[in-house]
Amino acid sequence: MIEKINANKYEIPVITKEVAVIAPKLFVVYGHDETSRDQLELVLSKLNIQPFILAKSGGGGLTIIEALEQHVGKDGSAQAGIVLLTPDDMGFAKKDGDQAMKERARQNVILEMGMLISRLGRQNTIILVKGKLERPSDTDGIMYHAFNSHVKEVGSALVDRLEGSGFLIDHKKALDALK
């Protein structure tokens, strides 16, 4: 695009370039707790972030693993991921017996969390945990953000992590989204 600037009665042509800013993409993994998933989606929407949520995308006939492979990593468009761990299952170590039963996330969600961490790195994988869940022992040392009833409870940490993954967050909108 060429614009003209009038300086000292002379028109000076100035070449400007319009640059499209491409927003980072976000992939969301979740279990059976649709209420928590919808809470997360609403918060993200208020932050002007449109995540890839398989159930809301039509899926194109892809399984979650295929969608994850297509959308995440070196050839995918997602630069960050959110894993929503919710108490959807119960489990225990056989040696401890059923009296040691604890709430835990769906096993497929744990697998998908591992895939996200592998493809995006820990710094770009945001893990939100609802309630007290059994966590896989191999994930000790990974940062989790715990909430009890609403995703908004970890809103500040979520915004910080999203910014760390390259998302531009309007802090006024963030305050409104987390009310």
Side-chain angles (χ1 to χ4, degrees), residues 21-61:
V21 176
I22 299 171
K25 302 286 185 204
L26 182 68
F27 193 93
V28 175
V29 170
Y30 57 93
H32 287 173
D33 186 340
E34 292 179 4
T35 300
S36 292
R37 181 202 65 200
D38 291 346
Q39 291 170 356
L40 176 61
E41 185 179 21
L42 181 60
V43 168
L44 293 171
S45 173
K46 289 180 178 182
L47 296 173
N48 287 329
I49 297 173
Q50 301 305 315
F52 178 82
I53 296 176
L54 186 63
K56 305 250 177 150
S57 73

Side-chain angles (χ1 to χ4, degrees), residues 23-26 49 79-81 159 161-169:
K25 302 286 185 204
L26 182 68
I49 297 173
Q79 293 167 261
V159 167
R161 295 291 306 278
L162 287 167
E163 285 182 319
S165 292
F167 289 85
L168 299 175
I169 306 291

Side-chain angles (χ1 to χ4, degrees), residues 41-109:
E41 185 179 21
L42 181 60
V43 168
L44 293 171
S45 173
K46 289 180 178 182
L47 296 173
N48 287 329
I49 297 173
Q50 301 305 315
F52 178 82
I53 296 176
L54 186 63
K56 305 250 177 150
S57 73
L62 299 176
T63 66
I64 185 71
I65 299 294
E66 292 167 331
L68 202 147
E69 290 172 338
Q70 180 177 334
H71 292 278
V72 177
K74 68 176 184 178
D75 296 327
S77 59
Q79 293 167 261
I82 294 179
V83 180
L84 190 55
L85 300 178
T86 55
D88 299 323
D89 287 352
M90 300 293 286
F92 59 92
K94 203 173 191 180
K95 67 178 179 79
D96 296 334
D98 61 0
Q99 68 274 8
M101 190 173 301
K102 296 178 184 171
E103 292 183 322
R104 66 180 184 191
R106 305 275 308 153
Q107 297 302 288
N108 64 297
V109 174

